[in-house]
Amino acid sequence: MASDQFYLFTALAAFNSAVQAQLRQVASPEDIVAIAAEYGFAITLQQLNFFRHDSAPTIESGQTKATLGERISSQASANWNC
């Protein structure tokens, strides 16, 4: 299922510092889809849009909010910290 691919990619982002570094540098949601594809995960822009609008707290650093890539990486890490 497509949603499995998305959650597997977020798990990878939670534990892989190279993926985290790539996600911190994204300029668009399409960049995130491309990064996921590099690692063999087929995710969609629609899935990213849903993730962006979920009820998870916004990550802030001073006056600037985190990028979508940073949020995916950070939220995935938070989901695995039990």
Side-chain angles (χ1 to χ4, degrees):
M1 290 175 51
S3 62
D4 291 344
Q5 292 285 304
F6 180 77
Y7 290 115
L8 289 170
F9 177 66
T10 60
L12 174 68
F15 295 104
N16 188 308
S17 59
V19 175
Q20 292 169 11
Q22 285 180 286
L23 290 172
R24 287 186 192 100
Q25 302 301 316
V26 298
S28 71
E30 291 83 2
D31 292 343
I32 297 170
V33 171
I35 291 168
E38 286 178 33
Y39 291 92
F41 298 99
I43 64 172
T44 66
L45 292 174
Q46 183 179 17
Q47 288 172 311
L48 291 176
N49 192 44
F50 176 75
F51 185 81
R52 188 180 65 174
H53 291 101
D54 72 4
S55 60
T58 303
I59 300 164
E60 296 189 24
S61 173
Q63 294 290 338
T64 59
K65 292 185 178 180
T67 66
L68 181 57
E70 290 170 324
R71 182 162 177 219
I72 287 175
S73 175
S74 178
Q75 186 63 35
S77 295
N79 289 341
W80 285 92
N81 291 332
C82 299

